[in-house]
Amino acid sequence: MSDARSAAGSVARCGLATALLSLSLSAAATAAPTGAAFKAGTFDPPRLAPDFALQGSDGHELQIVRFRGKVVLLAFGYSSCTEVCPVTLATFAAARRKLGAAAADVQVIYVTVDPQRDVPERLRKFLASFDSTFIGGTGTEAQLAAVRKEYGVSARKIPYRDGYSYTHSSFTYLIDRSGRIRALMPYGHSPDDYANDLTILLKE
Amino acid sequence: MRARSLVLATVAGSALAGLAWSALAPVRSASRDQIFDIPRGTWARRMSGDKVEILPDHMRLTLGVRDILVLRNHDAVPQIFGPTLMMPGQSFRLPFEQAADYTFSCTAHASGQMIISVRPYPGTPWARLGWRAYEFWWQARLLLRHIW
């Protein structure tokens, strides 16, 4: 009798566990559907892009607010970078070419993490080798560190032979016409992916 | 004796039918979101010395099934997940299109790191079987953790 009761208890526990598991599986399968067409990661709600005042490679003060009405691609790096930055900037240039005339409303801003070497003129020449419309930003170590903190960007100086290099965040922020950070594109996405997301933002 | 054989045959038949379904039925999901919540108080608990392990340090996504990572910051302070600075109350939704292992730094995790393995869509019977077994194990683990 006690064996039968114990067996019945086991069956009941198994049944309860199975039912709970089924419920959890079905709940996971019926969550809200997705709708984003962005290739980048998107923020909800979007926050206003923290502004800054840096020396622009175009000879003017560089502020995000200057580009209200345009879609901004904001990236961080340094002109001596041999791996990540050339790929990222070439991708931006290719994406702008894909957009055709609409690219006039896309502004690339590239903020250096290496103020020691990246003076405005050097940045201008470096960026012009990809696209003459790109604008670089530089400033003091403290100014640039403050900007990176606001955007959650990391950069670390690494001594290398007689000089140094940097490891730095490799993603790109996509800022909409209203100056809000809408998306973040991890490194490695194609010009098509950028063109896709820029097109979405340009149409808004 | 005959009744026992009948029971065994029924159990074996059911197991085989379950295996066949697991291997042959296409894998579908109503939502492709894999949601991660960073609970309120995570940062404060960590600052007080509590080794908070709310987020797993290794998680798996599957292309075409569950391939969108959704992070929601319910904490009262900004959190950095890899490249993402998320403000309190903000969420971040990151789709994946390439099968690979992605390593992110993450302040919401005590180890400071999180690996996301993005696997290809389970297109073969063996892959579907493996995927369902893993999902079952994963959900059971979550459920047991929730109960106890």
Side-chain angles (χ1 to χ4, degrees), chain B residues 1-12:
Chain B
M1 190 67 181
R2 198 175 157 192
R4 192 176 161 194
S5 299
L6 194 64
V7 168
L8 282 174
T10 306
V11 169

Side-chain angles (χ1 to χ4, degrees), chain A residues 71-130:
Chain A
V71 174
V72 172
L73 292 179
L74 174 66
F76 294 79
Y78 65 115
S79 64
S80 307
C81 177
T82 54
E83 293 171 5
V84 173
C85 294
V87 174
T88 301
L89 291 166
T91 303
F92 293 167
R96 284 190 86 249
R97 285 195 296 275
K98 283 178 179 292
L99 292 174
D105 274 353
V106 174
Q107 180 61 56
V108 170
I109 295 179
Y110 177 79
V111 175
T112 186
V113 298
D114 181 13
Q116 197 177 329
R117 289 183 292 205
D118 284 343
V119 295
E121 181 57 17
R122 178 174 165 135
L123 275 177
R124 189 190 63 75
K125 283 183 183 162
F126 172 64
L127 293 172
S129 66
F130 297 95

Side-chain angles (χ1 to χ4, degrees), chain A residues 17 20-21 24-25 29-32 34-36 38-45 47 149-152 171 173 184 186, chain B residues 29-33 35 66 68 80 82-87 89-95 97 135-136 139-140 143 147:
Chain A
L20 286 169
L21 191 57
S24 79
L25 281 168
T30 53
T34 65
F38 279 91
K39 301 289 184 183
T42 50
F43 295 96
D44 182 37
R47 66 169 171 135
K149 188 178 178 192
E150 291 280 2
Y151 282 90
F171 52 86
Y173 280 113
L184 182 149
Chain B
S29 175
S31 168
R32 288 165 67 174
D33 292 358
I35 297 172
R66 199 163 296 128
I68 300 172
I80 290 180
T84 315
L85 176 64
M86 275 186 305
M87 304 313 280
Q90 201 174 34
S91 69
F92 179 64
R93 182 185 181 82
L94 181 62
E97 293 184 346
E135 281 296 297
F136 186 84
Q139 294 292 342
L143 184 65
I147 290 172

Side-chain angles (χ1 to χ4, degrees), chain B residues 24 43 83 91 106 117 124 140:
Chain B
L24 298 174
W43 185 82
S91 69
C106 179
S117 298
T124 64

Side-chain angles (χ1 to χ4, degrees), chain A residues 1-10:
Chain A
M1 185 67 179
S2 99
D3 281 354
R5 204 176 294 150
S6 159
S10 298

